[in-house]
Amino acid sequence: ILIIVTVCSIGLIVIAFLGFGNYDHLQTIAYATENAAPKSQSLCARYVRKAIQAGGVRFIARPASAYKYADFLPVLGFEEIEEPYQPGDIVVFNQTCGREHGHIAIYTGKGWVSDFKQRSFYVHSDYISSKDYKVFRKEDGPYYNNLFKQLYILL
C-alpha cells in the first residue's frame, strides 16, 4: 500500500509539474485592473505576468524583458491573433532604439492595462513608428501547459 501511495504521489507531482490547469481571462483582467498604478512603474512584464498567473496559467520560469513574451506566450498556449481585439488579449511590443525591454499590456475591453492604466494602445511614440508588435489570445478552460517547454524556450 505504501508503494502505491508513493507512486500516486509522485504521479500527481509530475502532472502538476507538466502544467495542467484552467485559464480564466476574466481573472486575468480583474487582477490587471485592480493592481494597475496611476502611472507607469516600468514593470509592465511583472504586472502582466502576475495577471496571467491570476488567470490560472502556471510559470516555472519567465522572460526578463517584455518583448520576449512574443516567443514565450505561445508556449503558454496563447495564439497570435489579428483585430478585432477581445478582453484578455495581450499585446507585446518589440524592442526599439529607445525601449530596450519592449512593452506588454492586456486589453480589458475598456482599454489597455500594463503596470498602469494606459491612455491608448501605444504607450510611446517609438512603438507608433515601429509598428512592431504581436497580439495574443488564450481561450478559457482547461489546458495542458508543458512546463518543460518553458525552460527550453528561455535557455
PDB file of all heavy atoms in Angstrom, residues 81-118:
ATOM      1  N   ILE A  81      -3.097  36.560 -32.809  1.00  0.00           N
ATOM      2  CA  ILE A  81      -4.384  36.894 -33.437  1.00  0.00           C
ATOM      3  C   ILE A  81      -4.292  38.267 -34.112  1.00  0.00           C
ATOM      4  O   ILE A  81      -3.339  39.004 -33.927  1.00  0.00           O
ATOM      5  CB  ILE A  81      -5.545  36.869 -32.400  1.00  0.00           C
ATOM      6  CG1 ILE A  81      -5.279  37.806 -31.190  1.00  0.00           C
ATOM      7  CG2 ILE A  81      -5.756  35.475 -31.881  1.00  0.00           C
ATOM      8  CD1 ILE A  81      -6.028  39.070 -31.270  1.00  0.00           C
ATOM      9  N   GLU A  82      -5.312  38.573 -34.876  1.00  0.00           N
ATOM     10  CA  GLU A  82      -5.464  39.879 -35.519  1.00  0.00           C
ATOM     11  C   GLU A  82      -6.660  40.586 -34.884  1.00  0.00           C
ATOM     12  O   GLU A  82      -7.390  40.009 -34.103  1.00  0.00           O
ATOM     13  CB  GLU A  82      -5.716  39.687 -37.022  1.00  0.00           C
ATOM     14  CG  GLU A  82      -4.624  38.919 -37.752  1.00  0.00           C
ATOM     15  CD  GLU A  82      -3.349  39.724 -37.911  1.00  0.00           C
ATOM     16  OE1 GLU A  82      -3.428  40.963 -38.035  1.00  0.00           O
ATOM     17  OE2 GLU A  82      -2.264  39.109 -37.905  1.00  0.00           O
ATOM     18  N   GLU A  83      -6.873  41.841 -35.280  1.00  0.00           N
ATOM     19  CA  GLU A  83      -8.056  42.567 -34.812  1.00  0.00           C
ATOM     20  C   GLU A  83      -9.310  41.872 -35.308  1.00  0.00           C
ATOM     21  O   GLU A  83      -9.251  41.167 -36.308  1.00  0.00           O
ATOM     22  CB  GLU A  83      -8.026  44.006 -35.342  1.00  0.00           C
ATOM     23  CG  GLU A  83      -6.942  44.848 -34.697  1.00  0.00           C
ATOM     24  CD  GLU A  83      -7.024  46.289 -35.123  1.00  0.00           C
ATOM     25  OE1 GLU A  83      -8.002  46.955 -34.717  1.00  0.00           O
ATOM     26  OE2 GLU A  83      -6.140  46.733 -35.852  1.00  0.00           O
ATOM     27  N   PRO A  84     -10.440  42.048 -34.694  1.00  0.00           N
ATOM     28  CA  PRO A  84     -10.729  42.900 -33.539  1.00  0.00           C
ATOM     29  C   PRO A  84     -10.251  42.251 -32.239  1.00  0.00           C
ATOM     30  O   PRO A  84     -10.281  41.023 -32.103  1.00  0.00           O
ATOM     31  CB  PRO A  84     -12.249  43.028 -33.559  1.00  0.00           C
ATOM     32  CG  PRO A  84     -12.722  41.756 -34.170  1.00  0.00           C
ATOM     33  CD  PRO A  84     -11.657  41.366 -35.160  1.00  0.00           C
ATOM     34  N   TYR A  85      -9.814  43.085 -31.328  1.00  0.00           N
ATOM     35  CA  TYR A  85      -9.319  42.586 -30.055  1.00  0.00           C
ATOM     36  C   TYR A  85     -10.471  42.331 -29.106  1.00  0.00           C
ATOM     37  O   TYR A  85     -11.503  42.996 -29.159  1.00  0.00           O
ATOM     38  CB  TYR A  85      -8.326  43.575 -29.446  1.00  0.00           C
ATOM     39  CG  TYR A  85      -7.170  43.866 -30.370  1.00  0.00           C
ATOM     40  CD1 TYR A  85      -6.763  45.167 -30.609  1.00  0.00           C
ATOM     41  CD2 TYR A  85      -6.491  42.835 -31.017  1.00  0.00           C
ATOM     42  CE1 TYR A  85      -5.697  45.434 -31.463  1.00  0.00           C
ATOM     43  CE2 TYR A  85      -5.439  43.085 -31.872  1.00  0.00           C
ATOM     44  CZ  TYR A  85      -5.055  44.387 -32.084  1.00  0.00           C
ATOM     45  OH  TYR A  85      -4.014  44.645 -32.935  1.00  0.00           O
ATOM     46  N   GLN A  86     -10.243  41.346 -28.238  1.00  0.00           N
ATOM     47  CA  GLN A  86     -11.245  40.968 -27.232  1.00  0.00           C
ATOM     48  C   GLN A  86     -10.633  41.113 -25.852  1.00  0.00           C
ATOM     49  O   GLN A  86      -9.403  41.045 -25.694  1.00  0.00           O
ATOM     50  CB  GLN A  86     -11.678  39.516 -27.436  1.00  0.00           C
ATOM     51  CG  GLN A  86     -12.366  39.244 -28.734  1.00  0.00           C
ATOM     52  CD  GLN A  86     -12.708  37.770 -28.894  1.00  0.00           C
ATOM     53  OE1 GLN A  86     -12.571  36.973 -27.971  1.00  0.00           O
ATOM     54  NE2 GLN A  86     -13.146  37.399 -30.074  1.00  0.00           N
ATOM     55  N   PRO A  87     -11.472  41.300 -24.825  1.00  0.00           N
ATOM     56  CA  PRO A  87     -10.942  41.370 -23.471  1.00  0.00           C
ATOM     57  C   PRO A  87     -10.088  40.142 -23.154  1.00  0.00           C
ATOM     58  O   PRO A  87     -10.457  39.013 -23.465  1.00  0.00           O
ATOM     59  CB  PRO A  87     -12.206  41.411 -22.600  1.00  0.00           C
ATOM     60  CG  PRO A  87     -13.233  42.041 -23.489  1.00  0.00           C
ATOM     61  CD  PRO A  87     -12.927  41.512 -24.870  1.00  0.00           C
ATOM     62  N   GLY A  88      -8.925  40.407 -22.567  1.00  0.00           N
ATOM     63  CA  GLY A  88      -7.983  39.350 -22.231  1.00  0.00           C
ATOM     64  C   GLY A  88      -6.849  39.209 -23.220  1.00  0.00           C
ATOM     65  O   GLY A  88      -5.862  38.531 -22.939  1.00  0.00           O
ATOM     66  N   ASP A  89      -6.964  39.837 -24.386  1.00  0.00           N
ATOM     67  CA  ASP A  89      -5.882  39.781 -25.369  1.00  0.00           C
ATOM     68  C   ASP A  89      -4.652  40.518 -24.827  1.00  0.00           C
ATOM     69  O   ASP A  89      -4.776  41.483 -24.061  1.00  0.00           O
ATOM     70  CB  ASP A  89      -6.308  40.409 -26.695  1.00  0.00           C
ATOM     71  CG  ASP A  89      -7.327  39.555 -27.441  1.00  0.00           C
ATOM     72  OD1 ASP A  89      -7.567  38.403 -27.028  1.00  0.00           O
ATOM     73  OD2 ASP A  89      -7.888  40.057 -28.431  1.00  0.00           O
ATOM     74  N   ILE A  90      -3.488  40.051 -25.236  1.00  0.00           N
ATOM     75  CA  ILE A  90      -2.227  40.617 -24.750  1.00  0.00           C
ATOM     76  C   ILE A  90      -1.393  41.083 -25.934  1.00  0.00           C
ATOM     77  O   ILE A  90      -1.159  40.324 -26.871  1.00  0.00           O
ATOM     78  CB  ILE A  90      -1.452  39.567 -23.929  1.00  0.00           C
ATOM     79  CG1 ILE A  90      -2.277  39.170 -22.707  1.00  0.00           C
ATOM     80  CG2 ILE A  90      -0.081  40.104 -23.524  1.00  0.00           C
ATOM     81  CD1 ILE A  90      -1.679  38.048 -21.896  1.00  0.00           C
ATOM     82  N   VAL A  91      -0.949  42.340 -25.875  1.00  0.00           N
ATOM     83  CA  VAL A  91      -0.077  42.888 -26.912  1.00  0.00           C
ATOM     84  C   VAL A  91       1.354  42.891 -26.393  1.00  0.00           C
ATOM     85  O   VAL A  91       1.606  43.200 -25.229  1.00  0.00           O
ATOM     86  CB  VAL A  91      -0.501  44.314 -27.347  1.00  0.00           C
ATOM     87  CG1 VAL A  91      -0.386  45.318 -26.216  1.00  0.00           C
ATOM     88  CG2 VAL A  91       0.321  44.770 -28.554  1.00  0.00           C
ATOM     89  N   VAL A  92       2.275  42.514 -27.278  1.00  0.00           N
ATOM     90  CA  VAL A  92       3.703  42.535 -26.960  1.00  0.00           C
ATOM     91  C   VAL A  92       4.400  43.381 -28.025  1.00  0.00           C
ATOM     92  O   VAL A  92       4.366  43.045 -29.202  1.00  0.00           O
ATOM     93  CB  VAL A  92       4.310  41.116 -26.944  1.00  0.00           C
ATOM     94  CG1 VAL A  92       5.799  41.185 -26.618  1.00  0.00           C
ATOM     95  CG2 VAL A  92       3.576  40.213 -25.969  1.00  0.00           C
ATOM     96  N   PHE A  93       5.008  44.478 -27.568  1.00  0.00           N
ATOM     97  CA  PHE A  93       5.777  45.352 -28.458  1.00  0.00           C
ATOM     98  C   PHE A  93       7.243  44.939 -28.405  1.00  0.00           C
ATOM     99  O   PHE A  93       7.788  44.703 -27.328  1.00  0.00           O
ATOM    100  CB  PHE A  93       5.657  46.813 -28.028  1.00  0.00           C
ATOM    101  CG  PHE A  93       4.315  47.409 -28.310  1.00  0.00           C
ATOM    102  CD1 PHE A  93       3.314  47.365 -27.357  1.00  0.00           C
ATOM    103  CD2 PHE A  93       4.048  48.014 -29.526  1.00  0.00           C
ATOM    104  CE1 PHE A  93       2.072  47.910 -27.601  1.00  0.00           C
ATOM    105  CE2 PHE A  93       2.810  48.559 -29.788  1.00  0.00           C
ATOM    106  CZ  PHE A  93       1.808  48.505 -28.824  1.00  0.00           C
ATOM    107  N   ASN A  94       7.864  44.916 -29.567  1.00  0.00           N
ATOM    108  CA  ASN A  94       9.277  44.570 -29.657  1.00  0.00           C
ATOM    109  C   ASN A  94      10.139  45.715 -29.136  1.00  0.00           C
ATOM    110  O   ASN A  94       9.650  46.821 -28.917  1.00  0.00           O
ATOM    111  CB  ASN A  94       9.652  44.233 -31.100  1.00  0.00           C
ATOM    112  CG  ASN A  94      10.876  43.358 -31.198  1.00  0.00           C
ATOM    113  OD1 ASN A  94      11.499  43.003 -30.207  1.00  0.00           O
ATOM    114  ND2 ASN A  94      11.228  43.001 -32.417  1.00  0.00           N
ATOM    115  N   GLN A  95      11.425  45.443 -28.989  1.00  0.00           N
ATOM    116  CA  GLN A  95      12.374  46.474 -28.590  1.00  0.00           C
ATOM    117  C   GLN A  95      12.428  47.559 -29.657  1.00  0.00           C
ATOM    118  O   GLN A  95      12.197  47.304 -30.835  1.00  0.00           O
ATOM    119  CB  GLN A  95      13.782  45.908 -28.492  1.00  0.00           C
ATOM    120  CG  GLN A  95      13.974  44.747 -27.604  1.00  0.00           C
ATOM    121  CD  GLN A  95      15.382  44.195 -27.753  1.00  0.00           C
ATOM    122  OE1 GLN A  95      15.661  43.507 -28.718  1.00  0.00           O
ATOM    123  NE2 GLN A  95      16.246  44.503 -26.809  1.00  0.00           N
ATOM    124  N   THR A  96      12.761  48.761 -29.221  1.00  0.00           N
ATOM    125  CA  THR A  96      13.084  49.847 -30.143  1.00  0.00           C
ATOM    126  C   THR A  96      14.406  50.440 -29.667  1.00  0.00           C
ATOM    127  O   THR A  96      14.920  50.060 -28.612  1.00  0.00           O
ATOM    128  CB  THR A  96      11.998  50.950 -30.138  1.00  0.00           C
ATOM    129  OG1 THR A  96      11.982  51.565 -28.846  1.00  0.00           O
ATOM    130  CG2 THR A  96      10.623  50.379 -30.469  1.00  0.00           C
ATOM    131  N   CYS A  97      14.929  51.390 -30.417  1.00  0.00           N
ATOM    132  CA  CYS A  97      16.199  52.016 -30.010  1.00  0.00           C
ATOM    133  C   CYS A  97      16.097  52.618 -28.611  1.00  0.00           C
ATOM    134  O   CYS A  97      17.021  52.529 -27.824  1.00  0.00           O
ATOM    135  CB  CYS A  97      16.603  53.086 -31.015  1.00  0.00           C
ATOM    136  SG  CYS A  97      17.076  52.421 -32.610  1.00  0.00           S
ATOM    137  N   GLY A  98      14.972  53.220 -28.298  1.00  0.00           N
ATOM    138  CA  GLY A  98      14.816  53.872 -27.004  1.00  0.00           C
ATOM    139  C   GLY A  98      14.150  53.015 -25.942  1.00  0.00           C
ATOM    140  O   GLY A  98      14.058  53.414 -24.785  1.00  0.00           O
ATOM    141  N   ARG A  99      13.671  51.843 -26.320  1.00  0.00           N
ATOM    142  CA  ARG A  99      12.925  50.982 -25.394  1.00  0.00           C
ATOM    143  C   ARG A  99      13.489  49.567 -25.474  1.00  0.00           C
ATOM    144  O   ARG A  99      12.980  48.716 -26.192  1.00  0.00           O
ATOM    145  CB  ARG A  99      11.444  50.970 -25.760  1.00  0.00           C
ATOM    146  CG  ARG A  99      10.822  52.337 -25.869  1.00  0.00           C
ATOM    147  CD  ARG A  99      10.463  52.882 -24.517  1.00  0.00           C
ATOM    148  NE  ARG A  99      10.114  54.279 -24.629  1.00  0.00           N
ATOM    149  CZ  ARG A  99      10.570  55.224 -23.822  1.00  0.00           C
ATOM    150  NH1 ARG A  99      11.384  54.921 -22.855  1.00  0.00           N
ATOM    151  NH2 ARG A  99      10.210  56.472 -23.978  1.00  0.00           N
ATOM    152  N   GLU A 100      14.564  49.317 -24.733  1.00  0.00           N
ATOM    153  CA  GLU A 100      15.279  48.045 -24.862  1.00  0.00           C
ATOM    154  C   GLU A 100      14.505  46.831 -24.380  1.00  0.00           C
ATOM    155  O   GLU A 100      14.780  45.713 -24.795  1.00  0.00           O
ATOM    156  CB  GLU A 100      16.630  48.108 -24.151  1.00  0.00           C
ATOM    157  CG  GLU A 100      16.529  48.188 -22.638  1.00  0.00           C
ATOM    158  CD  GLU A 100      17.879  48.222 -21.965  1.00  0.00           C
ATOM    159  OE1 GLU A 100      18.566  47.190 -21.969  1.00  0.00           O
ATOM    160  OE2 GLU A 100      18.232  49.295 -21.449  1.00  0.00           O
ATOM    161  N   HIS A 101      13.515  47.015 -23.511  1.00  0.00           N
ATOM    162  CA  HIS A 101      12.750  45.874 -22.993  1.00  0.00           C
ATOM    163  C   HIS A 101      11.405  45.687 -23.687  1.00  0.00           C
ATOM    164  O   HIS A 101      10.684  44.741 -23.390  1.00  0.00           O
ATOM    165  CB  HIS A 101      12.536  46.016 -21.483  1.00  0.00           C
ATOM    166  CG  HIS A 101      13.814  45.956 -20.711  1.00  0.00           C
ATOM    167  ND1 HIS A 101      14.518  44.787 -20.542  1.00  0.00           N
ATOM    168  CD2 HIS A 101      14.527  46.922 -20.104  1.00  0.00           C
ATOM    169  CE1 HIS A 101      15.604  45.023 -19.842  1.00  0.00           C
ATOM    170  NE2 HIS A 101      15.639  46.322 -19.572  1.00  0.00           N
ATOM    171  N   GLY A 102      11.055  46.578 -24.600  1.00  0.00           N
ATOM    172  CA  GLY A 102       9.752  46.482 -25.244  1.00  0.00           C
ATOM    173  C   GLY A 102       8.642  46.830 -24.268  1.00  0.00           C
ATOM    174  O   GLY A 102       8.867  47.510 -23.259  1.00  0.00           O
ATOM    175  N   HIS A 103       7.433  46.341 -24.558  1.00  0.00           N
ATOM    176  CA  HIS A 103       6.281  46.632 -23.697  1.00  0.00           C
ATOM    177  C   HIS A 103       5.259  45.518 -23.861  1.00  0.00           C
ATOM    178  O   HIS A 103       5.172  44.882 -24.905  1.00  0.00           O
ATOM    179  CB  HIS A 103       5.657  47.980 -24.066  1.00  0.00           C
ATOM    180  CG  HIS A 103       4.528  48.381 -23.188  1.00  0.00           C
ATOM    181  ND1 HIS A 103       4.707  48.705 -21.850  1.00  0.00           N
ATOM    182  CD2 HIS A 103       3.205  48.492 -23.429  1.00  0.00           C
ATOM    183  CE1 HIS A 103       3.530  49.006 -21.317  1.00  0.00           C
ATOM    184  NE2 HIS A 103       2.604  48.884 -22.267  1.00  0.00           N
ATOM    185  N   ILE A 104       4.469  45.296 -22.815  1.00  0.00           N
ATOM    186  CA  ILE A 104       3.409  44.292 -22.831  1.00  0.00           C
ATOM    187  C   ILE A 104       2.203  44.845 -22.071  1.00  0.00           C
ATOM    188  O   ILE A 104       2.375  45.560 -21.076  1.00  0.00           O
ATOM    189  CB  ILE A 104       3.903  42.952 -22.233  1.00  0.00           C
ATOM    190  CG1 ILE A 104       2.864  41.847 -22.386  1.00  0.00           C
ATOM    191  CG2 ILE A 104       4.347  43.135 -20.790  1.00  0.00           C
ATOM    192  CD1 ILE A 104       3.393  40.449 -22.057  1.00  0.00           C
ATOM    193  N   ALA A 105       1.002  44.552 -22.566  1.00  0.00           N
ATOM    194  CA  ALA A 105      -0.223  45.054 -21.934  1.00  0.00           C
ATOM    195  C   ALA A 105      -1.389  44.118 -22.228  1.00  0.00           C
ATOM    196  O   ALA A 105      -1.348  43.324 -23.167  1.00  0.00           O
ATOM    197  CB  ALA A 105      -0.538  46.465 -22.419  1.00  0.00           C
ATOM    198  N   ILE A 106      -2.444  44.243 -21.418  1.00  0.00           N
ATOM    199  CA  ILE A 106      -3.652  43.421 -21.529  1.00  0.00           C
ATOM    200  C   ILE A 106      -4.828  44.312 -21.902  1.00  0.00           C
ATOM    201  O   ILE A 106      -4.993  45.397 -21.333  1.00  0.00           O
ATOM    202  CB  ILE A 106      -3.955  42.724 -20.190  1.00  0.00           C
ATOM    203  CG1 ILE A 106      -2.803  41.809 -19.792  1.00  0.00           C
ATOM    204  CG2 ILE A 106      -5.281  41.961 -20.246  1.00  0.00           C
ATOM    205  CD1 ILE A 106      -2.893  41.293 -18.373  1.00  0.00           C
ATOM    206  N   TYR A 107      -5.645  43.839 -22.835  1.00  0.00           N
ATOM    207  CA  TYR A 107      -6.856  44.564 -23.210  1.00  0.00           C
ATOM    208  C   TYR A 107      -7.986  44.166 -22.269  1.00  0.00           C
ATOM    209  O   TYR A 107      -8.282  42.987 -22.105  1.00  0.00           O
ATOM    210  CB  TYR A 107      -7.231  44.264 -24.662  1.00  0.00           C
ATOM    211  CG  TYR A 107      -8.416  45.046 -25.138  1.00  0.00           C
ATOM    212  CD1 TYR A 107      -8.394  46.433 -25.150  1.00  0.00           C
ATOM    213  CD2 TYR A 107      -9.559  44.404 -25.576  1.00  0.00           C
ATOM    214  CE1 TYR A 107      -9.485  47.163 -25.593  1.00  0.00           C
ATOM    215  CE2 TYR A 107     -10.652  45.121 -26.025  1.00  0.00           C
ATOM    216  CZ  TYR A 107     -10.608  46.503 -26.030  1.00  0.00           C
ATOM    217  OH  TYR A 107     -11.684  47.223 -26.452  1.00  0.00           O
ATOM    218  N   THR A 108      -8.622  45.160 -21.649  1.00  0.00           N
ATOM    219  CA  THR A 108      -9.689  44.885 -20.676  1.00  0.00           C
ATOM    220  C   THR A 108     -11.081  44.952 -21.280  1.00  0.00           C
ATOM    221  O   THR A 108     -12.057  44.590 -20.638  1.00  0.00           O
ATOM    222  CB  THR A 108      -9.638  45.897 -19.515  1.00  0.00           C
ATOM    223  OG1 THR A 108      -9.951  47.193 -20.033  1.00  0.00           O
ATOM    224  CG2 THR A 108      -8.290  45.901 -18.829  1.00  0.00           C
ATOM    225  N   GLY A 109     -11.177  45.428 -22.490  1.00  0.00           N
ATOM    226  CA  GLY A 109     -12.479  45.685 -23.095  1.00  0.00           C
ATOM    227  C   GLY A 109     -12.793  47.170 -23.055  1.00  0.00           C
ATOM    228  O   GLY A 109     -13.596  47.674 -23.827  1.00  0.00           O
ATOM    229  N   LYS A 110     -12.151  47.875 -22.136  1.00  0.00           N
ATOM    230  CA  LYS A 110     -12.325  49.327 -21.997  1.00  0.00           C
ATOM    231  C   LYS A 110     -11.043  50.074 -22.309  1.00  0.00           C
ATOM    232  O   LYS A 110     -11.044  51.290 -22.429  1.00  0.00           O
ATOM    233  CB  LYS A 110     -12.772  49.662 -20.577  1.00  0.00           C
ATOM    234  CG  LYS A 110     -14.114  49.082 -20.227  1.00  0.00           C
ATOM    235  CD  LYS A 110     -14.498  49.419 -18.810  1.00  0.00           C
ATOM    236  CE  LYS A 110     -15.852  48.817 -18.493  1.00  0.00           C
ATOM    237  NZ  LYS A 110     -16.256  49.043 -17.118  1.00  0.00           N
ATOM    238  N   GLY A 111      -9.944  49.345 -22.399  1.00  0.00           N
ATOM    239  CA  GLY A 111      -8.647  49.956 -22.664  1.00  0.00           C
ATOM    240  C   GLY A 111      -7.541  48.963 -22.373  1.00  0.00           C
ATOM    241  O   GLY A 111      -7.796  47.788 -22.093  1.00  0.00           O
ATOM    242  N   TRP A 112      -6.313  49.440 -22.442  1.00  0.00           N
ATOM    243  CA  TRP A 112      -5.139  48.606 -22.237  1.00  0.00           C
ATOM    244  C   TRP A 112      -4.520  48.892 -20.883  1.00  0.00           C
ATOM    245  O   TRP A 112      -4.421  50.044 -20.459  1.00  0.00           O
ATOM    246  CB  TRP A 112      -4.131  48.843 -23.355  1.00  0.00           C
ATOM    247  CG  TRP A 112      -4.648  48.379 -24.679  1.00  0.00           C
ATOM    248  CD1 TRP A 112      -5.391  49.093 -25.566  1.00  0.00           C
ATOM    249  CD2 TRP A 112      -4.497  47.078 -25.241  1.00  0.00           C
ATOM    250  NE1 TRP A 112      -5.705  48.317 -26.664  1.00  0.00           N
ATOM    251  CE2 TRP A 112      -5.166  47.075 -26.490  1.00  0.00           C
ATOM    252  CE3 TRP A 112      -3.857  45.917 -24.837  1.00  0.00           C
ATOM    253  CZ2 TRP A 112      -5.215  45.968 -27.318  1.00  0.00           C
ATOM    254  CZ3 TRP A 112      -3.894  44.804 -25.660  1.00  0.00           C
ATOM    255  CH2 TRP A 112      -4.565  44.830 -26.889  1.00  0.00           C
ATOM    256  N   VAL A 113      -4.106  47.818 -20.192  1.00  0.00           N
ATOM    257  CA  VAL A 113      -3.506  47.928 -18.865  1.00  0.00           C
ATOM    258  C   VAL A 113      -2.207  47.136 -18.854  1.00  0.00           C
ATOM    259  O   VAL A 113      -2.151  46.011 -19.352  1.00  0.00           O
ATOM    260  CB  VAL A 113      -4.457  47.363 -17.781  1.00  0.00           C
ATOM    261  CG1 VAL A 113      -3.793  47.359 -16.423  1.00  0.00           C
ATOM    262  CG2 VAL A 113      -5.757  48.136 -17.739  1.00  0.00           C
ATOM    263  N   SER A 114      -1.176  47.732 -18.294  1.00  0.00           N
ATOM    264  CA  SER A 114       0.091  47.018 -18.087  1.00  0.00           C
ATOM    265  C   SER A 114       0.396  47.139 -16.597  1.00  0.00           C
ATOM    266  O   SER A 114      -0.321  46.570 -15.786  1.00  0.00           O
ATOM    267  CB  SER A 114       1.196  47.614 -18.966  1.00  0.00           C
ATOM    268  OG  SER A 114       1.301  49.017 -18.778  1.00  0.00           O
ATOM    269  N   ASP A 115       1.387  47.914 -16.231  1.00  0.00           N
ATOM    270  CA  ASP A 115       1.602  48.217 -14.821  1.00  0.00           C
ATOM    271  C   ASP A 115       0.819  49.474 -14.439  1.00  0.00           C
ATOM    272  O   ASP A 115       0.808  49.886 -13.291  1.00  0.00           O
ATOM    273  CB  ASP A 115       3.095  48.384 -14.508  1.00  0.00           C
ATOM    274  CG  ASP A 115       3.795  49.376 -15.417  1.00  0.00           C
ATOM    275  OD1 ASP A 115       3.296  49.621 -16.531  1.00  0.00           O
ATOM    276  OD2 ASP A 115       4.846  49.887 -15.016  1.00  0.00           O
ATOM    277  N   PHE A 116       0.152  50.056 -15.424  1.00  0.00           N
ATOM    278  CA  PHE A 116      -0.717  51.215 -15.206  1.00  0.00           C
ATOM    279  C   PHE A 116      -1.833  51.194 -16.248  1.00  0.00           C
ATOM    280  O   PHE A 116      -1.773  50.450 -17.221  1.00  0.00           O
ATOM    281  CB  PHE A 116       0.093  52.519 -15.290  1.00  0.00           C
ATOM    282  CG  PHE A 116       0.586  52.854 -16.681  1.00  0.00           C
ATOM    283  CD1 PHE A 116      -0.007  53.860 -17.416  1.00  0.00           C
ATOM    284  CD2 PHE A 116       1.662  52.164 -17.239  1.00  0.00           C
ATOM    285  CE1 PHE A 116       0.453  54.181 -18.689  1.00  0.00           C
ATOM    286  CE2 PHE A 116       2.132  52.470 -18.508  1.00  0.00           C
ATOM    287  CZ  PHE A 116       1.522  53.479 -19.230  1.00  0.00           C
ATOM    288  N   LYS A 117      -2.857  52.004 -16.021  1.00  0.00           N
ATOM    289  CA  LYS A 117      -3.957  52.103 -16.982  1.00  0.00           C
ATOM    290  C   LYS A 117      -3.530  53.048 -18.089  1.00  0.00           C
ATOM    291  O   LYS A 117      -3.398  54.245 -17.892  1.00  0.00           O
ATOM    292  CB  LYS A 117      -5.220  52.598 -16.287  1.00  0.00           C
ATOM    293  CG  LYS A 117      -5.751  51.584 -15.303  1.00  0.00           C
ATOM    294  CD  LYS A 117      -6.968  52.071 -14.556  1.00  0.00           C
ATOM    295  CE  LYS A 117      -7.375  51.004 -13.553  1.00  0.00           C
ATOM    296  NZ  LYS A 117      -8.413  51.437 -12.654  1.00  0.00           N
ATOM    297  N   GLN A 118      -3.323  52.474 -19.261  1.00  0.00           N
ATOM    298  CA  GLN A 118      -2.823  53.241 -20.394  1.00  0.00           C
ATOM    299  C   GLN A 118      -3.921  54.119 -20.987  1.00  0.00           C
ATOM    300  O   GLN A 118      -5.094  53.751 -20.955  1.00  0.00           O
ATOM    301  CB  GLN A 118      -2.273  52.280 -21.455  1.00  0.00           C
ATOM    302  CG  GLN A 118      -1.156  51.407 -20.948  1.00  0.00           C
ATOM    303  CD  GLN A 118      -0.681  50.396 -21.976  1.00  0.00           C
ATOM    304  OE1 GLN A 118       0.076  49.527 -21.623  1.00  0.00           O
ATOM    305  NE2 GLN A 118      -1.092  50.485 -23.233  1.00  0.00           N
TER     306      GLN A 118
END
